[in-house]
Amino acid sequence: LMSATLSKDLREKYNCRAIPVCKEDEVKIMTGKLKGREGRVTQVYRKRFYIIVDRVNRTKSDGQTEVSVPIHPSNVMITNIKETPSRLKILERRGAGAKHMDVVD
């Protein structure tokens, strides 16, 4: 539901195409006005379906205040994941399924 694609090297490492975004993942924005910017995920709002990435801000119309820009997770690519035990289990399970599909074909 809140998944983002993995970079090519992470795809090869974990044999998985996408994984849900978590706090402290490093991401690169792939679409929109902020395309190409990189940063670390600081907040994940599951209720509103967006994430906040540090160093991705915009200036308000008063010219002084900077505000974080909400980004939909489908518009980013994960470049480095925070490896937790539960997350590694998910990656292992998904990777095993993908390997099984390669054998069947």
Side-chain angles (χ1 to χ4, degrees), residues 28-38 56 71 75-76:
K28 180 178 180 181
I29 301 173
M30 301 303 290
T31 61
K33 292 180 181 178
L34 302 170
K35 181 178 180 177
R37 310 246 338 243
E38 295 185 34
V56 178
I71 302 166
N75 296 333
V76 300

Side-chain angles (χ1 to χ4, degrees), residues 5-103:
T5 59
L6 294 174
S7 64
K8 288 187 179 182
D9 56 336
L10 290 177
R11 265 188 219 173
E12 292 174 5
K13 181 178 179 181
Y14 296 112
N15 200 19
C16 182
R17 186 171 182 85
I19 190 167
V21 179
C22 288
K23 188 176 177 179
E24 297 186 16
D25 284 347
E26 291 180 17
V27 297
K28 180 178 180 181
I29 301 173
M30 301 303 290
T31 61
K33 292 180 181 178
L34 302 170
K35 181 178 180 177
R37 310 246 338 243
E38 295 185 34
R40 187 177 297 267
V41 176
T42 56
Q43 293 177 334
V44 177
Y45 285 102
R46 294 189 316 184
K47 186 174 183 179
R48 295 187 179 173
F49 298 103
Y50 68 80
I51 61 174
I52 300 292
V53 181
D54 69 339
R55 296 184 307 216
V56 178
N57 302 322
R58 69 173 180 85
T59 306
K60 290 180 77 168
S61 59
D62 65 3
Q64 298 173 353
T65 313
E66 284 204 352
V67 182
S68 299
V69 179
I71 302 166
H72 195 273
S74 66
N75 296 333
V76 300
M77 177 177 64
I78 300 173
T79 56
N80 192 9
I81 65 170
K82 179 183 177 188
E83 294 180 348
T84 60
S86 60
R87 210 147 185 224
L88 290 174
K89 284 183 182 178
I90 292 169
L91 285 168
E92 185 178 311
R93 187 174 66 233
R94 287 188 176 184
K99 287 179 185 176
H100 175 69
M101 294 301 291
D102 290 341
V103 172

